[in-house]
Amino acid sequence: MYVINLPRRPDRRIWMAKTLPADLPVTFTSDWTGPFDGHELTRNQLEAAGYKLFPWKIESDNPWWGRPLKYGEIGCTLAHLACWRHAAQTDDEKFVVILEDDAIVKSTFLEDLLVGLRRTVSSSPFDLLYLGRFPLEPGQDQPVTAGFVSPAYSHCTFGYLLTRSALDILFATHLEHAIVPIDEFLPSLYIDHPRPDVRARFPKQLKALAFDPPLVHQLPKDEVGSDTEDSDFVEP
């Protein structure tokens, strides 16, 4: 299990450490040195590290598509990518759980997760399992089995699980050479993304499921803010 957390947000680390099961090994990204904080990133720093940005801004009525990327979005994507790489290089567990530090988990989180996995692994194989999300197309999810759906277009990556085989698929996309918001990247791999350019660069190739109702929820942005949005736009 990994928790996306910035060194300047020890408050959120304390929050997560208190709420996660004490016997569950957790790695916090705040223990790593990496270009994850949108307040510190620069275009030169990204280019020097070999990262390339996808041409994100387009003419669109969608406010998220009609503006440049934010450094916080880039840092968040790179933090998720770092977790996948770390898991691939250091562990051999069948599943990798990623939480962001504004996730809300119940005291029965681990028990509920294991029960859900036992129910789905044999009957409904998957690569990506949303523990929580924000559906963008309400009513378009397709029921799969009790407590699970095949998700339609969704945002938010505050809680999800990957199989080990899914890691190879993610790496093969070379996301580091065409960085997009992680919220858009994951759904592009299991749906036909509504943006043709994103759909062409990251075609559908994952099997996704989602807990329904969600296993994990998110702290309200109007209460705790957003380290992703609270950052500057990338300069041209």
Side-chain angles (χ1 to χ4, degrees):
M1 174 174 285
Y2 296 85
V3 174
I4 307 294
N5 173 250
L6 297 174
R8 63 179 171 86
R9 294 309 302 264
D11 55 324
R12 291 195 177 186
R13 177 165 180 158
I14 292 171
W15 152 263
M16 293 300 296
K18 285 182 177 179
T19 58
L20 289 173
D23 58 345
L24 185 64
V26 179
T27 298
F28 287 84
T29 60
S30 46
D31 289 333
W32 299 341
T33 56
F36 307 144
D37 193 339
H39 286 188
E40 300 175 358
L41 281 175
T42 66
R43 188 67 176 262
N44 288 340
Q45 180 185 15
L46 291 169
E47 292 176 353
Y51 295 116
K52 299 178 182 178
L53 306 183
F54 185 84
W56 184 250
K57 183 180 178 180
I58 60 173
E59 292 294 327
S60 174
D61 294 333
N62 186 320
W64 305 106
W65 299 349
R67 62 159 176 79
L69 289 173
K70 287 194 169 187
Y71 281 110
E73 293 172 319
I74 297 168
C76 184
T77 295
L78 294 180
H80 282 264
L81 179 58
C83 291
W84 307 338
R85 286 173 170 167
H86 187 271
Q89 295 167 1
T90 61
D91 300 317
D92 58 4
E93 287 86 353
K94 291 177 63 177
F95 304 111
V96 179
V97 176
I98 312 288
L99 299 176
E100 293 178 346
D101 61 8
D102 56 355
I104 303 174
V105 298
K106 299 188 298 183
S107 60
T108 58
F109 167 75
L110 184 55
E111 177 184 349
D112 295 340
L113 175 60
L114 293 175
V115 169
L117 289 174
R118 293 189 191 103
R119 187 186 309 151
T120 59
V121 168
S122 58
S123 61
S124 303
F126 63 87
D127 303 296
L128 163 67
L129 175 61
Y130 277 110
L131 310 181
R133 65 195 167 103
F134 182 78
L136 295 178
E137 299 174 332
Q140 296 302 307
D141 295 338
Q142 298 298 315
V144 173
T145 189
F148 295 90
V149 297
S150 176
Y153 188 24
S154 303
H155 268 183
C156 295
T157 53
F158 55 84
Y160 64 95
L161 176 148
L162 296 168
T163 64
R164 181 148 298 275
S165 59
L167 294 175
D168 292 333
I169 298 174
L170 296 176
F171 296 145
T173 67
H174 296 291
L175 174 61
E176 69 276 12
H177 294 156
I179 295 172
V180 297
I182 190 67
D183 280 7
E184 299 277 7
F185 174 71
L186 285 184
S188 74
L189 298 183
Y190 68 83
I191 64 167
D192 291 319
H193 197 281
R195 269 185 63 162
D197 56 344
V198 175
R199 184 167 65 246
R201 179 59 180 81
F202 301 111
K204 180 171 63 174
Q205 52 193 307
L206 289 181
K207 166 73 173 178
L209 293 179
F211 272 90
D212 184 38
L215 185 64
V216 174
H217 297 273
Q218 187 177 36
L219 291 170
K221 296 296 186 185
D222 57 356
E223 293 182 12
V224 298
S226 170
D227 291 324
T228 301
E229 285 299 309
D230 182 21
S231 62
D232 294 332
F233 291 112
V234 176
E235 64 272 14

